[in-house]
Amino acid sequence: MTLVNKIDPRCIRFDNDKPLFTDERTREVMDDAAQLLRQDQVVAFPTETVYGLGANCKSTQAVRKIYEAKNRPADNPLIIHVSSLDMVTLCLGTTIPEIYWPLIRKFWPGPLTVLLPLPNDSDISPLCTKGQNTFGCRMPAHPIARALIAYSGMALAAPSANASTRPSCTEAKHVLEDMQGRVPLILDGGASNVGVESTVVDGLSDPPRILRPGGVSLEDIIKHGGPGWINTRSEINVHVKDSESVKAPGMKYKHYSPRARVVLVDPDFNKDELEALGDGARKIALLSTLRTSPATLRGVWPSAQILHLPLGRTKSEISHSLFARFRDADNASADLIVVEAVDTENEGLAIMNRLNKAAETYVRAV
Ligand code: TXA
Ligand code: MG
């Protein structure tokens, strides 16, 4: 049985790092959630990026339940979520290296994950770190996430709340689709604002690297990170190689995947190439950004049914709606999803990283 409990984030305020609840019902719901966490159970909760599946990061029994609920590959480490800077020192027993301070001052709480050194005598469950000598750490900005951590008094290991390989969840109903009967409680705080996951940065290597583009852009890291981050590059080449552009890059890249096949297209895509890919598809979902319209696709496949699911026009809108539209296309039983590419500036890097991983094929301009 999975219970879904609604909370209005506006009913939570903070006195420094201490959460205050403006009504009794909110306090009760948070009490129940904290109680489950203390019993080594998993609780799904909203963050500003995507929903997470949280458990006490120091309990191997609890963290194991996260991997089981998601069916997550065993070698993928988890991000640990804190509600205050004190928690990093007092609860996780590490100090934050100098290099991160300008970024943390600017972006915490918020969609930035930093790799911190794992102390030798750390009591963080080895299931969170998977043999690395670092752990990923972030302070979420969402009031429900932060209050849950503070109120339960534990740092929470929390991956995205989707079943492994599926698109991340930006609404409680998406979590229910994937986690029905697999977790006891989902806290429903409405739609996640950012919509893509946090940016994961490694400031312990030289030069520092972005391991996963996300809610904080490369440009913002360079702008606000101070001298240590000026030469930061993203490890991510969001464009698949030309030789792979026609047929599947392969399971290695499969991630964030709707059930339907996904084809990524440049606005001036090669029509013949796209047409061949839609062979046999009867219901085609179009996730458009700036230039592609249903009429464009009707010009390619005159007899297919085109379901138009616009992603929005700004990159913030596109980030926000991307995963939800993938799920909408699946729920409407589309058998092909055509997504219009964006450029990789600012939020575009994270968007194109997710799209490339979801897509089987990328059809470029002629
Ligand atoms: O926005 C987010 O980060 C969301 C919300 C729930 O906070 N969480 C999330 O977690 O996206 P997950 O598990 O889906 O993705 C975590 C990413 C993975 O790519 C993982 O490999 C990487 O962070 N990661 C975690 N710890 C790491 C470490 N010690 N070294 C390198 N990569 C690490
Ligand atoms: Mg994930």
Side-chain angles (χ1 to χ4, degrees):
M1 242 296 278
T2 299
L3 186 67
V4 181
N5 268 340
K6 267 196 199 313
I7 299 189
D8 183 343
R10 290 169 302 185
C11 295
I12 303 172
R13 285 187 288 111
F14 286 85
D15 177 11
N16 290 317
D17 295 330
K18 190 173 171 319
L20 302 171
F21 306 110
T22 58
D23 69 325
E24 209 36 47
R25 148 111 187 129
T26 304
R27 175 189 299 283
E28 276 168 26
V29 173
M30 292 303 281
D31 251 338
D32 290 347
Q35 179 70 10
L36 283 169
L37 292 171
R38 280 187 218 105
Q39 293 165 350
D40 281 348
Q41 300 294 324
V42 173
V43 172
F45 60 95
T47 86
E48 73 281 18
T49 57
V50 298
Y51 274 68
L53 279 188
N56 179 2
C57 74
K58 297 192 177 179
S59 162
T60 292
Q61 193 191 333
V63 176
R64 184 172 293 123
K65 289 181 184 157
I66 295 179
Y67 281 87
E68 284 167 4
K70 272 184 74 90
N71 213 356
R72 182 176 175 100
D75 61 353
N76 200 356
L78 300 177
I79 295 170
I80 297 179
H81 296 64
V82 296
S83 59
S84 68
L85 287 172
D86 277 351
M87 211 169 193
V88 179
T89 340
L90 301 177
C91 172
L92 301 177
T94 195
T95 46
I96 298 176
E98 201 64 31
I99 178 130
Y100 290 124
W101 278 109
L103 290 176
I104 282 179
R105 272 195 288 268
K106 177 76 187 167
F107 297 114
W108 273 19
L112 177 75
T113 295
V114 299
L115 291 199
L116 298 179
L118 183 71
N120 286 331
D121 58 351
S122 174
D123 56 358
I124 295 173
S125 165
L127 278 191
C128 297
T129 54
K130 293 292 169 190
Q132 320 253 10
N133 55 8
T134 60
F135 68 95
C137 187
R138 111 169 167 96
M139 190 195 293
H142 197 293
I144 296 176
R146 233 181 124 198
L148 182 66
I149 300 162
Y151 202 55
S152 64
M154 41 180 89
L156 297 180
S160 51
N162 54 291
S164 199
T165 81
R166 298 273 300 145
S168 298
C169 303
T170 53
E171 294 176 45
K173 69 177 183 194
H174 306 155
V175 184
L176 195 61
E177 281 174 3
D178 286 16
M179 292 297 146
Q180 175 86 266
R182 297 181 153 260
V183 299
L185 176 65
I186 300 170
L187 297 179
D188 179 354
S192 292
N193 196 18
V194 177
V196 294
E197 298 85 345
S198 62
T199 301
V200 180
V201 295
D202 175 7
L204 306 175
S205 63
D206 186 20
R209 299 175 298 169
I210 292 189
L211 301 182
R212 178 180 68 181
V216 177
S217 69
L218 171 65
E219 290 86 343
D220 272 343
I221 295 215
I222 292 171
K223 181 170 172 201
H224 297 285
W229 295 85
I230 282 169
N231 294 320
T232 311
R233 289 287 167 268
S234 170
E235 295 281 286
I236 313 299
N237 177 3
V238 295
H239 294 296
V240 292
K241 291 188 199 73
D242 281 340
S243 59
E244 293 170 331
S245 70
V246 177
K247 209 57 212 162
M251 291 307 287
K252 197 168 85 174
Y253 300 106
K254 200 122 181 122
H255 226 343
Y256 308 115
S257 306
R259 290 186 192 90
R261 264 189 309 137
V262 179
V263 176
L264 182 58
V265 297
D266 276 336
D268 297 309
F269 57 80
N270 179 324
K271 191 177 162 208
D272 292 342
E273 195 181 325
L274 185 60
E275 187 181 1
L277 290 166
D279 211 19
R282 298 159 65 116
K283 190 166 189 181
I284 298 175
L286 167 63
L287 277 55
S288 63
T289 57
L290 282 176
R291 288 169 52 195
T292 309
S293 70
T296 328
L297 291 198
R298 269 185 225 111
V300 182
W301 300 293
S303 56
Q305 183 191 345
I306 310 288
L307 174 70
H308 191 201
L309 303 170
L311 289 175
R313 301 185 74 79
T314 66
K315 286 180 186 157
S316 301
E317 287 168 356
I318 297 166
S319 305
H320 177 81
S321 64
L322 180 59
F323 290 133
R325 294 297 85 80
F326 274 161
R327 284 179 184 261
D328 289 346
D330 268 349
N331 292 337
S333 307
D335 39 22
L336 182 71
I337 301 176
V338 175
V339 195
E340 183 183 348
V342 294
D343 70 67
T344 56
E345 274 170 36
N346 298 311
E347 295 112 307
L349 189 67
I351 294 168
M352 284 300 285
N353 170 254
R354 305 315 187 265
L355 290 181
N356 263 305
K357 288 195 180 216
E360 184 175 286
T361 312
Y362 186 175
V363 180
R364 308 300 189 97
V366 199

